[in-house]
Amino acid sequence: MKYNIIILIFVLCIIQFSKLCGQILIKLENAQDRQGIEGVFAQIFDKNRNTKIYVSDSQGKIFLESAEFPLIIRISHLNFEIKSDTLPSPKDEHLILLTPKNKLLDEIIITGQYTPESVQNSVYKARIITATRIKAQGANHLQDVLSTELNIRFARDNAVGGSNLSLQGLSGQNIKILLDGVPLTGRSGTANEIDINQINVNSIEQIEIIEGPMAVNYGADALAGVINIISKKDISGKIDLNLSFQEESVGNEFSWFEDGIHNPSLSIGYKPRKHWYIQGEGQINRFGGWQGDALGREKSWYPKTQYFGSTLVRFEKTKWNLYYRLDYLNELIENLGAGNDNNPLRDPFAIDEEYQSHRWMHQLQGEFKLGKAHLNSVVSFTDYERNTNQFVKNLVTDQESPTGTEEQDYISYQNYFTRQTLNNALQDDWVETQFGLEANHEIAGGTTLSEGNKSLTDLAFFASAELTLIKKIKLRPGMRYGYNNAFSPIPTPSLNVKYDLNPQLQLRAAYGRGFRAPSVRELYHEFIDANHNIIGNKDLEAEKSHNLNADLSYKLPKIDLSMSINGFYNYVDNRITYFTPEGVNQPTTYTNLLKYKTTGGQLNARWQGKNLLLNAGFAYLGRYQRLSEAESEGEIPQYVFSPELNANAIWQIPTIHIQLSGFYKYTGANKAYTLIDEEPVLQKINAFHWLDFTASKSFWGGLTLAAGVRNILNVTQVNNNISSSGAHSGNSGGQSPVAYGRSFFLKLHYQLNIQQKNNP
């Protein structure tokens, strides 16, 4: 793609200006046992800001040629803390001591905490996915990262090019998707879900996943859990420039300008003064579509082009900091119709459709120290619009003309959100507190809603306290209560318990109640055309849920092995789902299902050696739903279960400066009972295996080259005989789409980091 070629030329020009550094001996040792450390990556800057990357030998030594001092050295290793140091003057030998990482304490969680907390000390059982892991996967989208996680599944919606997400067996409208703690706006498709692929994956610093209802902290839509995407907000040094481009095939389809995936990106971070930080990011993600079994100009997977942009300005003082962030999305999906040349009196033509989305997301966040207390303030505004345009395209002249107005539609959302939390206003050695106020006002309009703009307002007050008892037990009771202009909310209590049986063994248990009011789309949807007949239901009731979670974690620090086993139970009353009445030409609508339950367990293990990180897990998920009011107790089994298995490995080979990564997941058959001729019949979507592999190599001057194979086992679709009343079930001819087949990618990344003068 032309954007990538331009960036490649730019990168090569920059590299030509990089100059080689000098000769000096640097010894890198473990601060605990004073042994040399092999495979340490060291980025060294001389006084003229020229840079070069070295890797220590088997004795922990790096040999440089003569250089102009002072030198700045930035050191990184999988098992040791990142460190920067200054070598002020030349001498025969420089000794630098590195501190080993405590792997469990090293992961810091923000979501649901009073202040940033280590995963080990948090009362919540959380999963952390770091930027290093995202980079190791060569991910183009957030789905590439999450699809190999346990208890997370996706179902593709080919009609709008999105993917529907489920967590703990609960669908996407029950999952709170946050960007830096701010709810994402822009539910699309008939599934009423946030499309997580409309997020720039290159801007992510960390992903935090907490399973189970977080209604006390985050309100509606958090029955299944919370996925909080933490964006990058800082750099090491004065200037940090990152340029990359990625080229990837789509199955066996690829060309430099059209077919395949073309993904250039640029980010710049700059600290002009001591308290200021400015950041800008941009990315283009061009997906050329996938032909698959389609004929002519039609595509099995529609072409998609995404433009991402963001900017951030932060001002930070000792007792307060404030930042403003703006994110922009422009997405175009093209549905190319079949060519028609049956009329000799007119040029060949086709009826095409375009789905275009725009999203502007503004957020202003601040943290203020008020004595021992902290005030965290969030104010945001999101403007989201999605347009569907149908037109006739002349295949000879390329001229386009719109079809009838009934085939043109749009929907828009404006969301105003604020969240104010006061942490530790009442603080002692044994208690911490949080008091919060949250307001959310959403305005929706468009041709796919009943006439006139609709709005929903939600106000809530929430409070919780964390009590530390006998230094081994933490209790966190919480309560949320509020106002909704369409429904009467119920109080949503929660209780989390953490018990340290000993320094290596921890037990967590939690209960939470959830509440979800129907969305604007579920209440007022009105989508009627040649292919759809969907109407909302103004008589829907709010969903209510109960959740139980328990987790037992064990670690062996001497061999750096950690293991955990956990279980969960969800009970959802009045779950909202699709319903199509019997009879001819009856519209699909929404209804409250009487009962829906999920339960399951999970076993995880993690081991980290000198240059190798291994993760493996097994999950077993069961679902139960009542099919009709007439169903008698015990008429169908309570649950149908599905297994999952995953494993991943990251291996560094210091001697040749290469990192190898592999990611595997087995997704068991997804089973469900459906009514056929008023009789419950067990149906399923077949199981499948997924495997990715990536290799990357670091070169001098901040250059990294990565190559990989995605979907090695060449999965495209799986058998599906589950009857669906949804408008876009993704089930065509008894098949559910999974992927576009085995693909290969190549990524070039260049980083230029300039340190502060005399300040590493």
Side-chain angles (χ1 to χ4, degrees), residues 414-484:
Q414 286 84 41
N415 184 271
Y416 301 85
F417 173 82
T418 182
R419 176 184 171 91
Q420 312 296 322
T421 55
L422 183 63
N423 300 319
N424 298 327
L426 303 176
Q427 184 181 29
D428 206 333
D429 293 338
W430 62 279
V431 62
E432 296 179 71
T433 59
Q434 181 181 82
F435 301 96
L437 182 65
E438 188 174 283
N440 190 80
H441 180 64
E442 182 177 70
I443 303 172
T447 56
T448 57
L449 297 178
S450 55
E451 186 176 350
N453 287 349
K454 311 297 180 184
S455 66
L456 286 177
T457 301
D458 186 81
L459 303 172
F461 171 79
F462 56 95
S464 64
E466 189 166 292
L467 314 174
T468 303
L469 308 177
I470 62 173
K471 296 184 179 181
K472 289 187 176 182
I473 299 177
K474 283 185 179 180
L475 298 178
R476 181 183 284 196
M479 177 68 73
R480 183 185 185 99
Y481 190 76
Y483 161 81
N484 185 287

Side-chain angles (χ1 to χ4, degrees), residues 127 135 149 168 196 455 538 651 680 736 744:
R127 277 186 274 177
K135 184 178 179 182
E149 290 293 305
Q168 282 195 352
I196 63 168
S455 66
K538 299 178 182 178
W651 181 29
S736 282
F744 301 85

